[in-house]
Amino acid sequence: RLSPDIKEGYDKAVLSFSNNLLRIVKRAIVSGTPPPNSGVTWEPLSPATIKRWGEHPIYYLTGLYHRSIGLYTYKSRTLVGLPIGSKKASNKNLTLNQLAKILEFGTKDERVPARPLWAPSVKAAGGTQKLKRQILANIRSNLGKSFGISPNQVR
């Protein structure tokens, strides 16, 4: 039972962390503000953008990006983000993944400023340290149930 307990504890923690990360990202997109406690700010939309597209949250013009973000499983990996091979995002032949990179990192000519979403969202979710603690806690709990030992006996 050792191997299944470890895998189950790992999977449960990763799923919980991923769902929390997904909530943080989607909330930031809908509100048009960076994730809370992430330490980043986003430059407001330029007057030219507002004139062309109207007033809207920074990451939410049509809602396609927001609707497309989710948990996607490929083989034995689950990813938080956009699906591989996502749809065209605009009439400029950009895919959603290309658009996401532009929004995240900006453009080389700086016409579109960087507005980081994903790394700040991981930070707002507690970062890799919190994920690591969740994984260990779940594994300890599972081993405790299977072997009748207390979780603090598992290092």
Side-chain angles (χ1 to χ4, degrees):
R1 250 325 282 156
L2 184 61
S3 181
D5 281 347
I6 292 171
K7 182 174 180 351
E8 184 181 301
Y10 176 87
D11 290 345
K12 184 178 176 185
V14 169
L15 181 62
S16 173
F17 187 86
S18 298
N19 280 320
N20 187 37
L21 177 60
L22 190 58
R23 277 190 299 278
I24 291 168
V25 167
K26 285 192 167 225
R27 192 175 302 127
I29 289 171
V30 169
S31 70
T33 58
N37 305 317
S38 63
V40 299
T41 57
W42 290 344
E43 194 172 311
L45 295 173
S46 72
T49 299
I50 294 170
K51 182 178 179 183
R52 182 173 182 188
W53 301 105
E55 192 72 47
H56 64 277
I58 289 171
Y59 270 84
Y60 200 96
L61 177 61
T62 66
L64 180 61
Y65 186 51
H66 178 266
R67 287 189 309 274
S68 299
I69 292 173
L71 300 177
Y72 298 96
T73 303
Y74 300 100
K75 296 184 183 177
S76 63
R77 297 176 58 185
T78 299
L79 305 175
V80 179
L82 295 167
I84 293 173
S86 60
K87 305 173 187 174
K88 297 287 183 196
S90 69
N91 59 359
K92 296 186 181 200
N93 292 324
L94 291 175
T95 66
L96 279 174
N97 289 312
Q98 291 168 328
L99 177 62
K101 285 180 183 178
I102 290 170
L103 290 169
E104 186 81 15
F105 302 111
T107 55
K108 289 180 184 176
D109 63 7
E110 297 181 358
R111 289 185 64 209
V112 177
R115 294 182 176 108
L117 171 65
W118 290 95
S121 294
V122 169
K123 182 179 178 184
T128 55
Q129 290 303 315
K130 181 173 182 179
L131 175 58
K132 189 179 193 179
R133 285 191 305 272
Q134 282 181 299
I135 291 169
L136 289 174
N138 285 338
I139 291 172
R140 286 179 177 140
S141 175
N142 285 354
L143 294 176
K145 291 173 191 170
S146 293
F147 298 103
I149 57 177
S150 67
N152 64 356
Q153 291 177 300
V154 180
R155 297 269 174 228

